[in-house]
Amino acid sequence: MLSKEYSGSTLPADRIISIDLLRGIAVLGILLMNIQSFAMISAAYVNPTSAGDFSGIEKITWILNNLLAREKFINIFSLLFGAGVLLLYQRKKIQGANPFKVQIIRNFWLLGLGLVHAYLIWYGDILVFYSVCGVFVYFFRKLNVRSLIIMGSIFFLVPVLISIIEYQNSLKWTSEEYANALQYWLPDNAFIEKEFAAVKGGYFDLIKYRFYQLRYIHTILFGKLFFWRISALMLIGMGLHKADVFSAKRSKPFYLKLVFIGIPLGLLLTSVGIWQNFHHDWEIRYSMFLGYSYNYFGSIASSMGYIGLVMLIAQSKRFRIFKKVMTSAGRMALTNYILMSIIGGTVFYGIGMGLYGEISRFIQEL
């Protein structure tokens, strides 16, 4: 029998099929957004108006992607990583091993893999952040469901508060500070040509350019955003795991509530954010620091709705082929994640087919 600490979840020595299913959908879902980082200039990921044509089908594609995918699947991936911290702890405790030692070793290797992935393959790597945040949240593993979700919610708010402060500071930017910021938000032709030359050139040119980007991502951006957001999601994921949400053991009405509250609420918040950004004409100060916050909150609502939907599918006797394929993808999530980066680099970078900047958003998603 399991202790109440784990709320009756399946023994971690066994695969929890619903988690594999959810992880498989999440790892494939994040490709809908990640492909933009391979195919388009860096600024296009945060400011869609920075990458040429943004009308017609291109605009519709971006809107649908933001409504349905942006941050939704990576949220689920992060929530499940938090659940994985508990599953590993539980498994090693039952086996009589030292759970903390195993966790440290596991995350050390994950950090190494993440650094190789980030600096040698794709700068959008998430594994480095997971390795650090995974060790941090481990120390909160014994908190109850309520405490984990409350703490995670508080952590989740920190990046928004930081952005509000940064917005206020941006109102005092000098003309030089504004021009420097604008180069990353709406780069001029010279800046874009520099990025094209690095990405479509030789491999060492690409590594050098990505190293320049990663210095900021792994230091300042990690401290302002990723540490808080990822740790928050992992803590909430630990709470959801203890509440048996991921094991598909909750009632059908429970999961239906997640679907019919989470998805509409997420769509509403994200839609308001999209409208606000267009209303403000994608002005750098507003959209960079405030406009994103609608989807920041909307994405977690949508993610919970998606989780409810997947758990209903897991409970169902239908969709057998779909469940088999997605479960297999979930069991090899790390391999699939790295493989997607290798394929993306091969297709879009100069060391491969060199299609960087040549494929429209609509074609990317086909």
Side-chain angles (χ1 to χ4, degrees), residues 4 11 19 67 98 112 126 162 206 213 246 258 304 356 360:
K4 292 182 179 179
L11 280 170
I19 288 183
L67 283 172
N98 184 331
I126 199 72
I162 292 174
L206 174 62
Q213 291 179 306
F246 295 135
L258 288 183
M304 294 306 299
Y356 188 76
S360 68

Side-chain angles (χ1 to χ4, degrees), residues 197-310:
V199 177
K200 301 188 74 168
Y203 182 57
F204 290 105
D205 292 328
L206 174 62
I207 292 177
K208 182 179 179 180
Y209 186 75
R210 293 312 190 196
F211 180 80
Y212 173 76
Q213 291 179 306
L214 285 165
R215 283 190 306 175
Y216 173 75
I217 294 173
H218 284 166
T219 53
I220 297 174
L221 198 57
F222 177 66
K224 292 194 302 184
L225 171 63
F226 289 118
F227 170 77
W228 301 101
R229 179 187 177 90
I230 293 173
S231 294
L233 292 169
M234 287 184 181
L235 288 167
I236 294 172
M238 292 165 76
L240 294 176
H241 172 64
K242 288 191 176 187
D244 275 332
V245 173
F246 295 135
S247 63
K249 290 184 177 181
R250 301 299 293 264
S251 67
K252 184 176 180 179
F254 174 85
Y255 291 121
L256 284 172
K257 286 180 182 178
L258 288 183
V259 174
F260 288 110
I261 294 176
I263 293 179
L265 179 59
L267 289 173
L268 175 62
L269 289 171
T270 302
S271 296
V272 172
I274 291 172
W275 180 83
Q276 286 284 4
N277 279 315
F278 278 108
H279 178 71
H280 286 84
D281 199 27
W282 292 94
E283 194 276 325
I284 181 173
R285 293 183 179 92
Y286 178 84
S287 294
M288 180 183 289
F289 298 121
L290 301 181
Y292 90 100
S293 61
Y294 293 93
N295 185 62
Y296 185 81
F297 290 110
S299 68
I300 191 64
S302 292
S303 296
M304 294 306 299
Y306 291 175
I307 289 169
L309 182 60
V310 174

Side-chain angles (χ1 to χ4, degrees), residues 9-290:
S9 296
T10 306
L11 280 170
D14 304 320
R15 301 295 305 197
I16 301 179
I17 303 301
S18 56
I19 288 183
D20 288 333
L21 173 63
L22 184 58
R23 187 183 291 112
I25 292 172
V27 74
L28 295 179
I30 61 177
L31 181 60
L32 294 172
M33 291 304 301
N34 285 354
I35 193 170
Q36 295 182 35
S37 294
F38 288 107
M40 309 177 80
I41 61 172
S42 303
Y45 193 87
V46 290
N47 178 13
T49 67
S50 66
D53 180 33
F54 189 55
S55 61
I57 192 65
E58 293 298 287
K59 187 175 182 179
I60 292 172
T61 300
W62 180 87
I63 290 173
L64 289 176
N65 242 359
N66 272 255
L67 283 172
L68 302 176
R70 188 179 180 90
E71 297 180 358
K72 282 73 171 178
F73 294 104
I74 195 64
N75 283 351
I76 296 173
F77 212 52
S78 301
L79 291 167
L80 288 175
F81 196 95
V85 170
L86 281 182
L87 284 167
L88 183 63
Y89 169 74
Q90 183 186 10
R91 180 185 300 120
K92 296 307 173 183
K93 191 173 182 181
I94 292 173
Q95 293 174 353
N98 184 331
F100 180 67
K101 181 179 179 181
V102 173
Q103 196 75 238
I104 290 295
I105 294 174
R106 175 208 189 200
N107 284 25
F108 173 79
W109 285 110
L110 188 65
L111 174 62
L113 178 60
L115 290 172
V116 170
H117 181 227
Y119 286 92
L120 301 183
I121 302 176
W122 179 50
Y123 77 107
D125 168 79
I126 199 72
L127 302 179
V128 170
F129 303 141
Y130 279 10
S131 65
V132 176
C133 295
V135 172
F136 173 75
V137 302
Y138 174 85
F139 295 102
F140 302 96
R141 67 193 180 282
K142 294 185 178 181
L143 294 179
N144 59 32
V145 173
R146 178 184 175 87
S147 298
L148 284 167
I149 292 179
I150 290 176
M151 179 174 288
S153 299
I154 293 172
F155 273 47
F156 197 74
L157 290 173
V158 172
V160 177
L161 298 177
I162 292 174
S163 288
I164 292 173
I165 294 172
E166 289 188 316
Y167 172 73
Q168 294 297 326
N169 291 336
S170 72
L171 299 177
K172 304 173 186 177
W173 277 348
T174 65
S175 57
E176 182 179 356
E177 289 172 328
Y178 179 83
N180 289 337
L182 199 62
Q183 282 289 61
Y184 294 94
W185 182 255
L186 190 62
D188 57 26
N189 289 334
F191 194 93
I192 292 175
E193 288 175 4
K194 179 181 178 182
E195 183 167 333
F196 264 69
V199 177
K200 301 188 74 168
Y203 182 57
F204 290 105
D205 292 328
L206 174 62
I207 292 177
K208 182 179 179 180
Y209 186 75
R210 293 312 190 196
F211 180 80
Y212 173 76
Q213 291 179 306
L214 285 165
R215 283 190 306 175
Y216 173 75
I217 294 173
H218 284 166
T219 53
I220 297 174
L221 198 57
F222 177 66
K224 292 194 302 184
L225 171 63
F226 289 118
F227 170 77
W228 301 101
R229 179 187 177 90
I230 293 173
S231 294
L233 292 169
M234 287 184 181
L235 288 167
I236 294 172
M238 292 165 76
L240 294 176
H241 172 64
K242 288 191 176 187
D244 275 332
V245 173
F246 295 135
S247 63
K249 290 184 177 181
R250 301 299 293 264
S251 67
K252 184 176 180 179
F254 174 85
Y255 291 121
L256 284 172
K257 286 180 182 178
L258 288 183
V259 174
F260 288 110
I261 294 176
I263 293 179
L265 179 59
L267 289 173
L268 175 62
L269 289 171
T270 302
S271 296
V272 172
I274 291 172
W275 180 83
Q276 286 284 4
N277 279 315
F278 278 108
H279 178 71
H280 286 84
D281 199 27
W282 292 94
E283 194 276 325
I284 181 173
R285 293 183 179 92
Y286 178 84
S287 294
M288 180 183 289
F289 298 121
L290 301 181

